Amino acid sequence: MRRIFFGILSAFLVAACGAGGGKSAIVKACMDEGETRENCTCMADVAEEELDEELFGLLAKAAKSSDEGLGDLGSEMTLAQAGQFMSFGVNVASRCSFSFN
């Protein structure tokens, strides 16, 4: 599960795009990795509530992508985006029932 969570989070760094259907794509991609609908919906809700449009769009684009190994794209994130990204991760861990074993 840890690999999935960090893979999705690192995918924020791909490129900006529109987030049409983004929430459902995020939930589907999460469920495709074996998580429950409840956990995946929780994560998507937290993303929708806490991420700005650009970061939510990046997550949605990554969720819609069939690419795996996205590489190290951290250099593309601004300091503000990195802070938002970390806050999102902490809040997903505290609000949703993911098991990071």
Side-chain angles (χ1 to χ4, degrees):
M1 177 58 223
R2 190 178 338 194
R3 179 186 65 92
I4 297 163
F5 180 76
F6 289 111
I8 289 172
L9 291 179
S10 69
F12 276 108
L13 308 173
V14 177
C17 73
K23 188 172 179 179
S24 61
I26 293 166
V27 171
K28 181 184 180 319
C30 176
M31 289 178 61
D32 287 350
E33 293 293 330
E35 282 298 327
T36 66
R37 178 175 297 279
E38 179 182 11
N39 285 349
C40 295
T41 299
C42 179
M43 182 181 71
D45 288 344
V46 173
E48 191 172 53
E49 291 168 14
E50 298 189 6
L51 301 177
D52 64 25
E53 282 188 43
E54 181 180 7
L55 288 178
F56 187 82
L58 292 173
L59 180 60
K61 180 177 181 177
K64 292 175 185 177
S65 173
S66 61
D67 295 340
E68 293 206 24
L70 297 171
D72 180 16
L73 301 171
S75 62
E76 295 181 31
M77 232 191 321
T78 67
L79 186 57
Q81 287 173 324
Q84 191 178 132
F85 172 84
M86 293 305 295
S87 177
F88 164 71
V90 167
N91 289 329
V92 165
S94 67
R95 290 175 53 186
C96 305
S97 299
F98 286 97
S99 171
F100 297 103
N101 299 337

